[in-house]
Amino acid sequence: MKAFLILEDGTVFSGISIGSGREIISEIVFNTSMTGYLEVLTDPSYAGQAVVMTYPLIGNYGICYEDIESERPWPDGYIVRELSRISGNFRSENTIQHFLEEHDIPGISGIDTRALTKILREKGTMNGMITTNEDYKIEEILPKLAKYSTGKVVERVTCREKYVLEGDGARVALLDLGIKRNIARSLNRRGCEVTVYPAFTKAEEIIASRPDGIMLSNGPGDPKECTEIIEEIKKLYRTDIPIFAICLGHQLMALANGADTYKMKYGHRGGNHPVKDLQTGRVYISSQNHGYVVDTERLDESVAVPAFVNVNDGTNEGLRYTEKNIFTVQFHPEACPGPLDSGYLFDRFLNMMEVN
């Protein structure tokens, strides 16, 4: 079946329908990873977005359920150059086509993803529609695309009830803003007992549990939409409990302390982004997935100072809070792109809890 990708600027790509045949409108973003398509599909930070994979062949090692980062895939749509018809992997338990169908995720293959990515880089992230309707009327679609917004998506992806990963070490309270499983596992493997809380948990409940440390997870959407969560993070900041935050959690901690964030032209999404530790001067290869960034021009240096910077474009990749036992990073140290380059950040967090 034919499928069409219609962009907000009026550009139309024609290809083949994959996954579900339903019609969707979403924000179109691209990911430059050469592997890890299953981790991308199951990353809650993609809620409200349709993902373009720049690597031309996707699906060749199938679906390995042990590698998923959440209970289900989250992107609204999936866009690839070629979907592999054969999966060659002894761990494979499903094909990507069936996986998309089972979860009602529409997609399109057979389009020039290089040309599409160049458009998104030059003009910036924009909204788009995936449809199988050959009789579409573009003059009716474009106003709908202009109005689309991802809105408040954290409430869609967070857990509904708290749960515990048992451990005999430090007790960590992990706020689930759209958590990737390997964040909790990275702590649990280091012996931590990890209690995962829904995103809208009151700070008083977390503080009353007397954790040794608090972690704020990654998540989707515009951080400024998370007004209620920011108010609770302000209360957490006022304690002396060590805090480590990743991605959206990093942005929300900054907003809770008077800093600002802004939307990037096309964001950072992929597994090959170099970040520099400003304390040691060492550069690490990082995995990233974000469309917003902390504005260091609006940062009160008596509260926090930059700790990491993106080597490619100079944007902020982490903060160290000067008067508190808190540090935050924009990238994903649990995602193993280096493969283990930045895993030491979890060890740093453990040391903070021991000192405390």
Side-chain angles (χ1 to χ4, degrees):
M1 183 175 9
K2 271 190 176 183
F4 304 91
L5 172 64
I6 304 165
L7 297 181
E8 195 175 348
D9 69 347
T11 303
V12 178
F13 290 89
S14 176
I16 301 167
S17 174
I18 58 174
S20 166
R22 69 185 177 92
E23 184 174 280
I24 60 104
I25 293 177
S26 190
E27 183 179 60
I28 312 298
V29 300
F30 63 87
N31 185 294
T32 59
S33 299
M34 295 176 68
T35 62
Y37 54 79
L38 181 57
E39 288 87 341
V40 169
L41 280 168
T42 54
D43 181 350
S45 294
Y46 283 112
Q49 298 174 327
V51 184
V52 182
M53 300 301 293
T54 62
Y55 191 69
L57 181 64
I58 298 296
N60 55 312
Y61 56 86
I63 298 294
C64 310
Y65 287 100
E66 186 181 352
D67 299 338
I68 64 175
E69 288 287 0
S70 61
E71 293 181 356
R72 50 159 285 190
W74 289 102
D76 292 338
Y78 203 52
I79 303 161
V80 302
R81 175 67 183 90
E82 181 181 350
L83 201 69
S84 178
R85 293 168 292 174
I86 301 172
S87 58
N89 182 358
F90 73 96
R91 296 176 62 236
S92 178
E93 301 168 74
N94 200 352
T95 66
I96 191 169
Q97 170 68 12
H98 290 157
F99 187 70
L100 294 172
E101 289 174 355
E102 289 166 359
H103 293 280
D104 197 28
I105 295 178
I108 182 170
S109 69
I111 70 168
D112 187 342
T113 50
R114 180 181 176 85
L116 172 57
T117 301
K118 288 178 71 175
I119 290 172
L120 297 177
R121 280 181 59 91
E122 291 167 6
K123 297 186 177 181
T125 296
M126 64 181 80
N127 298 331
M129 172 186 282
I130 297 175
T131 181
T132 57
N133 179 13
E134 296 188 41
D135 298 321
Y136 68 84
K137 292 180 173 57
I138 197 164
E139 65 275 10
E140 296 177 1
I141 292 172
L142 294 183
K144 295 178 182 178
L145 298 183
K147 290 179 182 177
Y148 175 81
S149 170
T150 57
K152 295 185 176 183
V153 279
V154 169
E155 58 196 39
R156 286 172 46 193
V157 301
T158 187
C159 61
R160 300 300 168 222
E161 298 178 350
K162 74 176 181 182
Y163 60 92
V164 180
L165 279 68
E166 299 291 345
D168 56 9
R171 297 169 60 248
V172 178
L174 175 49
L175 194 63
D176 177 9
L177 306 170
I179 187 175
K180 293 168 67 179
R181 284 180 176 172
N182 206 31
I183 292 177
R185 286 197 298 253
S186 294
L187 292 167
N188 198 228
R189 280 195 298 266
R190 289 167 168 80
C192 297
E193 177 184 285
V194 183
T195 302
V196 182
Y197 290 87
F200 295 92
T201 302
K202 294 297 183 183
E204 290 81 2
E205 179 181 345
I206 295 174
I207 296 167
S209 71
R210 300 179 63 83
D212 297 307
I214 298 171
M215 185 149 197
L216 310 179
S217 83
N218 63 295
D222 183 345
K224 290 179 182 176
E225 295 277 1
C226 302
T227 52
E228 297 172 44
I229 300 171
I230 290 170
E231 290 305 310
E232 300 306 312
I233 290 175
K234 288 179 181 179
K235 300 174 189 176
L236 297 176
Y237 176 83
R238 288 196 286 267
T239 71
D240 291 323
I241 303 170
I243 299 175
F244 177 28
I246 290 174
C247 198
L248 179 62
H250 153 78
Q251 297 164 3
L252 296 183
M253 179 60 75
L255 289 171
N257 285 281
D260 196 11
T261 59
Y262 62 89
K263 188 171 185 177
M264 305 174 77
K265 185 176 181 180
Y266 49 81
H268 295 158
R269 297 175 182 90
N272 59 349
H273 291 264
V275 297
K276 184 177 182 179
D277 185 330
L278 296 177
Q279 185 174 4
T280 65
R282 182 172 175 179
V283 174
Y284 300 90
I285 298 300
S286 71
S287 174
Q288 304 203 8
N289 174 15
H290 63 102
Y292 294 84
V293 68
V294 173
D295 184 357
T296 53
E297 297 297 319
R298 299 280 297 276
L299 190 64
D300 183 348
E301 292 191 358
S302 67
V303 175
V305 295
F308 288 88
V309 66
N310 189 289
V311 177
N312 288 338
D313 62 12
T315 54
N316 179 255
E317 292 284 358
L319 296 173
R320 177 176 58 84
Y321 286 77
T322 55
E323 301 297 326
K324 293 286 183 176
N325 210 3
I326 298 173
F327 77 100
T328 67
V329 295
Q330 181 63 72
F331 54 96
H332 286 262
E334 86 292 340
C336 308
L340 301 175
D341 280 14
S342 51
Y344 76 94
L345 294 174
F346 289 102
D347 298 320
R348 180 188 290 180
F349 182 42
L350 261 65
N351 292 335
M352 288 164 54
M353 291 187 283
E354 289 174 3
V355 170
N356 199 60

